Amino acid sequence: MKLGPLNHVGVATPSIDEAVTFWRETMCASVIHEPFDMPEQGVRVCFVDTPNSQIELLEPLGADSPIAGFLEKNPQGGQHHLCFEVPDIEAARSRFEELGKRILGPTRIGAHGTPIFFLHPKDMGGILTEIMETPEKPADETGKFAWAQ
Amino acid sequence: MKLGPLNHVGVATPSIDEAVTFWRETMCASVIHEPFDMPEQGVRVCFVDTPNSQIELLEPLGADSPIAGFLEKNPQGGQHHLCFEVPDIEAARSRFEELGKRILGPTRIGAHGTPIFFLHPKDMGGILTEIMETPEKPADETGKFAWAQ
């Protein structure tokens, strides 16, 4: 394994609509993708591009959303997780398992359409860490950009 | 203003030595810069490169370090702030002031040798936000890399 790009910073928010206004008007983001629901993950998602990475806005979808607890503790929202790319998700999963890191659930398809899994923050220096297989598809299909092409 | 690159994610840690071991051995980071003290900011700093951005490890320097409180609440450490680049720090500062955002202290020289300031997380969607003027110097002098050159 080799540390890949920081694909995105996951940011929880009580309202994607309000967060999009913030990122557009206060932070002057010029590329904000269309929000979409991921019911199987219990979140509504919206990607905001920076020139080199992305902010993944996450709004809870339903009362049992995995980010509901985070928003109870942080009602305004805030930094939720970091997502790093790897070329081979299964190799990465095996490696983290061998290191004794707690993996949160099965490998599943993430917001960029490639396999992902999460690692327990207590095993990762306090950081909820998402590991994501690098997408092969071009930018307009995955929301990725020039630096990763 | 225009949203610039995500220069780095600031990550607080009780021990840069242990965090460097984690980023080298668990996360397979290949480029980890030499740690250095910033006594005027009350932190010891170490940059870890990803192919597109950086992780800024922060260890408290002294009991009145600005990250001491964060580590009391999060003894293991974790995500502390996000830093975005802008071309003109004074223009950015004026803009955030006009928007009524609380700026934490004066504009000062940050870890990359360019002017920076911080914005209050309660005005920024729960994210402690650092705004940093893009360095003009080449990579080997500032710790920046190919994507920003």
Side-chain angles (χ1 to χ4, degrees):
Chain A
M1 203 181 97
K2 189 178 156 190
L3 182 61
L6 176 64
N7 181 276
H8 62 260
V9 178
V11 170
T13 174
S15 162
I16 279 186
D17 286 350
E18 286 177 23
V20 162
T21 301
F22 169 81
W23 282 92
R24 181 181 294 122
E25 295 184 2
T26 300
M27 295 302 285
C28 304
S30 50
V31 180
I32 300 179
H33 298 260
E34 196 64 32
F36 59 98
D37 291 350
M38 292 193 74
E40 68 282 8
Q41 314 271 1
V43 288
R44 183 164 172 79
V45 179
C46 178
F47 284 103
V48 177
D49 292 3
T50 74
N52 61 326
S53 189
Q54 287 184 308
I55 303 298
E56 180 188 45
L57 299 172
L58 298 167
E59 178 185 312
L61 203 62
D64 56 350
S65 170
I67 63 165
F70 182 93
L71 284 168
E72 264 173 46
K73 286 182 203 159
N74 308 277
Q76 212 190 351
Q79 295 183 69
H80 181 261
H81 68 269
L82 297 183
C83 176
F84 297 96
E85 294 181 22
V86 295
D88 181 336
I89 197 81
E90 285 312 319
R93 188 174 177 112
S94 298
R95 192 167 171 286
F96 284 115
E97 277 172 353
E98 281 162 19
L99 289 169
K101 303 296 180 186
R102 280 168 284 182
I103 300 178
L104 303 170
T107 301
R108 51 200 184 273
I109 299 300
H112 281 301
T114 66
I116 62 110
F117 60 83
F118 281 88
L119 292 153
H120 199 298
K122 289 199 175 166
D123 293 344
M124 303 296 289
I127 299 171
L128 177 61
T129 306
E130 180 179 357
I131 302 295
M132 165 184 163
E133 194 163 277
T134 301
E136 291 179 13
K137 293 183 182 178
D140 52 358
E141 289 179 64
T142 66
K144 290 187 60 67
F145 357 99
W147 60 263
Q149 285 170 33
Chain B
M1 201 180 98
K2 189 178 158 190
L3 183 61
L6 177 65
N7 182 276
H8 62 260
V9 178
V11 169
T13 175
S15 162
I16 279 185
D17 286 350
E18 288 177 23
V20 162
T21 301
F22 169 81
W23 283 91
R24 181 181 293 122
E25 296 184 1
T26 300
M27 294 302 285
C28 305
S30 51
V31 181
I32 300 180
H33 298 260
E34 197 64 33
F36 59 98
D37 292 349
M38 293 192 74
E40 68 282 8
Q41 314 271 0
V43 287
R44 183 164 174 77
V45 179
C46 178
F47 284 103
V48 177
D49 292 3
T50 74
N52 62 326
S53 188
Q54 287 183 308
I55 303 297
E56 180 188 45
L57 300 172
L58 297 167
E59 178 185 313
L61 202 63
D64 56 349
S65 170
I67 62 166
F70 181 92
L71 284 167
E72 266 175 43
K73 286 182 202 160
N74 309 276
Q76 210 189 353
Q79 296 182 68
H80 181 262
H81 68 268
L82 297 183
C83 176
F84 296 95
E85 294 181 21
V86 295
D88 180 336
I89 197 79
E90 286 311 320
R93 188 175 177 112
S94 297
R95 192 166 171 286
F96 284 114
E97 277 171 352
E98 281 162 20
L99 289 169
K101 303 295 179 187
R102 280 166 284 182
I103 299 178
L104 303 169
T107 301
R108 51 200 185 273
I109 299 301
H112 281 302
T114 66
I116 61 110
F117 61 83
F118 281 89
L119 291 153
H120 198 298
K122 289 199 175 168
D123 293 343
M124 303 297 288
I127 299 170
L128 177 61
T129 305
E130 181 180 354
I131 302 294
M132 165 184 163
E133 194 164 277
T134 301
E136 290 179 13
K137 292 182 182 178
D140 53 358
E141 290 179 65
T142 65
K144 290 187 60 66
F145 357 100
W147 61 263
Q149 284 171 32

